[in-house]
Amino acid sequence: MRLLAFLFSALALLPPPPFDVAGGVTVIVNGVVYTPSLLKNKSVFLSGAKILKFVDSGAATDSLVSALKAANVIVKQVNADGGSIIPGLIDPHVHANGAGGEMGYGSRTPEAPLSELIKAGLTSIVGLLGTDTVTRGQNDLLAKLKGLGNDINTYMWIGGYREPGPTLTSGVQADILLIEEVIGVGELAISDHRSSWPSNQQLLATVSDARVAGLLAGKAGVVQFHVGSANTLLSPLWYIVNQTTIPITNLLPTHVTSRGPALIADALRWNKAGGYCDFTADSDDENDTLVTLLSWRQSSADLSHVTLSSDAYGSLPNFDSQGRLIGYGVGSPMVVLNTIRNLIINYSWPIDQAIQFNTVNVANVLGLTSRAGFLAEGGPADLVVLNRMSYLVDYSFARGEVLKTPTWVQKGMFEPPDKLTQRFGHRADEI
Ligand SMILES: *[C@@H]1O[C@H](CO)[C@@H](O)[C@H](O)[C@H]1NC(C)=O
Ligand SMILES: *[C@@H]1O[C@H](CO)[C@@H](O)[C@H](O)[C@H]1NC(C)=O
Ligand SMILES: *[C@@H]1O[C@H](CO)[C@@H](O)[C@H](O)[C@H]1NC(C)=O
Ligand SMILES: *[C@@H]1O[C@H](CO)[C@@H](O)[C@H](O)[C@H]1NC(C)=O
């Protein structure tokens, strides 16, 4: 009886056809490929964790499929149905193990469920701690990222709001050099009432440590700065770039559209000086990021130096001018894709321009270009198929494994079953 129940649940865990057969080659047809540059009329062949080949649609695809089948290779065909085949999105700011707590212990936010990240089109995330670096810890964050890392690609910022922030080993340099996931420091708070008000000298020492360790480890060694609403704006960062020869691209300020026009203006100066800025994507009742993107596109801003992030599973506290908490919420990973969809659907942005913020741009600033943000033959098979009409995720693949189909999504082990499909979301061979 138990065995039967086990077999039954194991079957229910499988993705729907054509994915219920192990191995082989997957070919995605009838899609429009963005590498993110537009590749016309190509099918995408995936094998193992890599993209095998882009092949012309029609006869060339049919003959390769026939040849593979003749060689007894299992070929799984996915119909993109006119949708866009784009690189899996990268979100550089996810509170994967929860965060928040600004309204007391009961307001600590939940951990990220795997399936919610997948539905948001993400195949790579960078996890981090925020305000609370006491009850939230680096060990817990790293373990959570390693767990998610069974299915998607996970990286980590070391530190948190405070300076010096908590580390995994003896310090920032050792963590970047010795822990594979750690690519830099963040989110270090400046110009915010919740920061530890670090001196310029303290910030400089940390930026310098991150840069040197990055050079030694072949990583970006970037410091991501949480920027608050104080009128000091980006001046702590200007101090570093004005006083030293550290490249401006080693510093990545975030939330720059969320604090009003003065910070947006300073961010534009930063952009014109060659710096990158990260914009927190708008939640339902906001449009600051949308408005800034539309206006920067009209100005001479360099959009290739802009990235978007979700702040997912972080709290969204709202303080009034007296510092009183007047609102509270939790971030969703969907906001990034929703901003991209809004640009495409409502503002007619070409798809390659709308997706750059979470593909090439973020891969460039975070030093991930060989691992994420592009589609290329021989490159990682991390891609999503966006629906032709809604631009929501129909299919997702990371390292060549299917994570989502139109009727199924991979779930973490203890996520509740999906009512719609009655599937639990774990591949049978992993139980
Ligand atoms: C490429 O696709 C377009 C639109 O789907 C189609 O009109 C065109 O005939 C295709 N070209 C080739 C060479 O297959
Ligand atoms: C840094 O340099 C810029 C331009 O050279 C200047 O506008 C700004 O005031 C300087 N800021 C600081 C904090 O040194
Ligand atoms: C953004 O929101 C403001 C205020 O709610 C509104 O006046 C403005 O039209 C909106 N802009 C866009 C581009 O949606
Ligand atoms: C497009 O604009 C409409 C009207 O403002 C809005 O309701 C809808 O959510 C927008 N679409 C997206 C994908 O944001």
Side-chain angles (χ1 to χ4, degrees):
M1 196 60 203
R2 250 196 163 150
L3 182 66
L4 261 181
F6 173 78
L7 284 177
F8 179 77
S9 65
L11 280 177
L13 304 180
L14 288 166
F19 301 106
D20 47 3
V21 195
V25 165
T26 300
V27 51
I28 310 174
V29 299
N30 296 330
V32 187
V33 180
Y34 292 88
T35 68
S37 311
L38 173 60
L39 276 190
K40 284 203 172 120
N41 303 67
K42 298 281 185 187
S43 307
V44 185
F45 284 73
L46 314 180
S47 174
K50 305 270 188 209
I51 294 176
L52 186 64
K53 233 172 163 11
F54 301 118
V55 178
D56 287 335
S57 319
T61 293
D62 296 345
S63 69
L64 180 52
V65 168
S66 307
L68 288 166
K69 285 183 173 163
N72 289 324
V73 175
I74 297 160
V75 180
K76 294 168 257 182
Q77 188 153 314
V78 172
N79 187 350
D81 196 23
S84 307
I85 304 172
I86 67 168
L89 300 176
I90 308 165
D91 188 335
H93 194 116
V94 177
H95 291 287
N97 65 329
E102 289 97 329
M103 266 184 80
Y105 300 111
S107 68
R108 296 168 85 253
T109 58
E111 287 191 358
L114 174 67
S115 64
E116 296 298 318
L117 302 174
I118 295 170
K119 286 189 257 179
L122 303 171
T123 58
S124 301
I125 64 165
V126 194
L128 77 176
L129 299 183
T131 321
D132 179 357
T133 51
V134 175
T135 79
R136 306 284 183 180
Q138 305 291 11
N139 293 341
D140 179 48
L141 173 60
L142 181 59
K144 173 69 185 181
L145 291 171
K146 284 182 182 289
L148 294 171
N150 291 332
D151 293 285
I152 62 173
N153 306 300
T154 54
Y155 303 96
M156 178 170 169
W157 300 104
I158 198 74
Y161 273 25
R162 296 187 62 77
E163 169 61 34
T167 55
L168 282 158
T169 63
S170 58
V172 160
Q173 287 211 328
D175 284 0
I176 293 173
L177 272 160
L178 301 175
I179 313 289
E180 197 182 337
E181 285 84 352
V182 176
I183 57 167
V185 177
E187 58 175 317
L188 208 174
I190 58 164
S191 300
D192 191 290
H193 59 108
R194 292 162 291 172
S195 79
S196 59
W197 298 101
S199 69
N200 288 344
Q201 205 51 43
Q202 276 178 300
L203 290 179
L204 175 54
T206 295
V207 168
S208 188
D209 273 359
R211 170 172 161 75
V212 172
L215 292 173
L216 295 173
K219 297 179 180 178
V222 165
V223 181
Q224 186 184 198
F225 289 94
H226 160 108
V227 187
S229 49
N231 59 15
T232 39
L233 308 174
L234 298 180
S235 60
L237 309 189
W238 284 117
Y239 171 85
I240 294 171
V241 299
N242 287 5
Q243 302 295 319
T244 73
T245 51
I246 293 172
I248 193 170
T249 49
N250 273 89
L251 293 77
L252 178 63
T254 185
H255 313 317
V256 296
T257 58
S258 313
R259 321 290 188 203
L263 183 57
I264 293 171
D266 208 15
L268 185 58
R269 286 191 286 276
W270 188 258
N271 176 276
K272 294 202 163 155
Y276 278 82
C277 293
D278 183 62
F279 297 1
T280 307
D282 297 320
S283 44
D284 288 345
D285 53 347
E286 299 171 331
N287 73 8
D288 301 300
T289 286
L290 171 69
V291 169
T292 308
L293 287 172
L294 298 176
S295 116
W296 282 27
R297 190 161 179 252
Q298 296 307 314
S299 73
S300 52
D302 180 0
L303 285 187
S304 78
H305 279 211
V306 173
T307 65
L308 290 180
S309 64
S310 67
D311 213 352
Y313 305 99
S315 64
L316 303 173
N318 198 359
F319 296 95
D320 69 10
S321 58
Q322 313 297 311
R324 285 178 302 228
L325 191 66
I326 51 170
Y328 200 79
V330 59
S332 156
M334 270 307 289
V335 292
V336 163
L337 181 58
N338 284 345
T339 300
I340 292 171
R341 293 171 59 235
N342 200 0
L343 294 172
I344 296 170
I345 295 171
N346 287 332
Y347 295 92
S348 307
W349 280 37
I351 292 169
D352 58 326
Q353 283 187 33
I355 65 173
Q356 64 175 317
F357 310 113
N358 297 91
T359 55
V360 271
N361 297 3
V362 62
N364 281 332
V365 66
L366 299 187
L368 299 175
T369 48
S370 61
R371 305 205 249 174
F374 295 86
L375 299 181
E377 290 181 352
D382 293 354
L383 56 86
V384 299
V385 180
L386 298 181
N387 183 277
R388 175 170 58 89
M389 301 298 291
S390 68
Y391 293 90
L392 290 166
V393 176
D394 273 347
Y395 291 91
S396 172
F397 294 83
R399 298 177 218 134
E401 297 278 351
V402 65
L403 296 178
K404 189 182 182 310
T405 73
T407 57
W408 171 88
V409 61
Q410 174 77 316
K411 294 198 165 205
M413 186 175 285
F414 294 110
E415 285 188 56
D418 189 326
K419 297 248 168 23
L420 193 70
T421 62
Q422 292 300 315
R423 290 179 192 280
F424 291 76
H426 244 260
R427 286 187 291 272
D429 59 358
E430 282 186 2
I431 303 175

